[in-house]
Amino acid sequence: MTDETIRVWDYLAEYEREREDLMGAVDTVFRSGRLVFGDSMRAFEEEFAAYHDVPHCVSVDNGTNALKLALQALGVKPGDEVITVSNTAAPTVVAIDAVGAVPVFVDVDPDTYLMDTAAVEAAVTPRTSCLLPVHLYGQCVDLAPLEALADAYGLRLLEDCAQAHGARRHGRIAGSAGHAAAFSFYPTKVLGAYGDGGAVLTSDPEVAERLRRLRYYGMAERYYVVETPGHNSRLDEVQAEILRHKLRRLDGYIAARRAIADRYAEGLAGTGLTTPRLAPGNDHVYYLYVVRHPCRDDILRALAARGIELNVSYRWPVHTMSGFRHLGRKPGTLPVTEAMAEEIFSLPMYPSLGAAAQGRVITALRELLAE
């Protein structure tokens, strides 16, 4: 029906298509006799690592803890500085704060909204221990200059891949370049669970072993001895098995997202709306379809009245949030980030978004912007 609400994200149509397979995944776990630390978790770790051609995957309970435990496993200590961006989901910075480190923000590129890698070296100090680029909205940060800086200054490089499952830059898949890479499987993600989940990829066996201990209280094996206090951060068997089944469809999900992005780009051409710009060498997976217009809030209200829900990622840069006021970053210190936060918004984007529903979004935007 044309009067149904179009949500910015929805999984119900996808669930109906995949329900039998997903229920089979759940039944597999329930019949296994193991609900935690079982065959599904181990198999998912192997398959997710193989997808990225990385030797080690350590699954955890959510993406925030994937970042937090990765920082700890990489040796980031209280008082260390971690260079990242303010145009990101708050969990990126919450994880830095949770290990006692200090987030140091650099601005973003005005075209792609990704980390301005040219600004990173000026932010390095003797206290810097880690670079944390965010592969945002579905495309990759250029890691080559960051790898060079990490080598030159003896820094760790941790990729935040929560929004970039399957994204590539010059053929190299996100999550395969740094010392470690953190992923979220929150339901909205390109590879999303039916609940929370996360994982860390690494090519370093020592980092992988530290991660395995950190996610299980700091124990080397079940009910043994805590060597370094850790956490209870396990990925449960049901979500692991669901993710195994969905991983087999990941390339199809990405293809569907790209087709939707192509329709948006064609349908919104000439409207005055700034549509996503692809960085050279990038293969975008369109976790979000983020556009820009100076009348953003008027557009959101007008489309909501037509039954079309939009979103803003992100309306409040992290450095402007009251919870991070102690960092001392005043308004105006990240001019590109702050300017875009006033204008960006996200259009509906998910693999099961139908052509008719997307057509409603495009038509509504074209009519509104023509006014």
Side-chain angles (χ1 to χ4, degrees), residues 87 107-117 137 139 274-277 290 292 335-337 339-340 343-344:
N87 178 41
D107 217 339
V108 296
D109 179 89
D111 292 328
T112 64
Y113 316 142
L114 299 169
M115 174 183 273
D116 180 0
T117 57
Y137 303 150
Q139 68 171 325
T274 300
T275 53
R277 296 180 183 176
V290 176
R292 188 171 181 176
V336 178
T337 296
M340 56 176 278
E343 299 184 353
I344 56 174

Side-chain angles (χ1 to χ4, degrees), residues 267-268 306 358-369:
L268 296 172
R306 299 190 188 197
Q358 187 180 9
R360 272 184 60 198
V361 177
I362 292 171
T363 299
L365 280 168
R366 292 194 68 87
E367 292 175 352
L368 184 63
L369 293 169

Side-chain angles (χ1 to χ4, degrees), residues 56 65 116 192 203 215 222 244 298 305 325 351 354 364 370:
H56 305 285
N65 280 337
D116 180 0
S203 296
R215 75 169 174 191
R222 192 176 304 275
R244 289 186 69 203
D298 292 336
R325 191 176 294 137

Side-chain angles (χ1 to χ4, degrees), residues 86 88 153 173 234 271 317 328 341 356:
S86 184
T88 183
Y153 290 95
I173 193 166
R234 300 165 294 198
T271 61

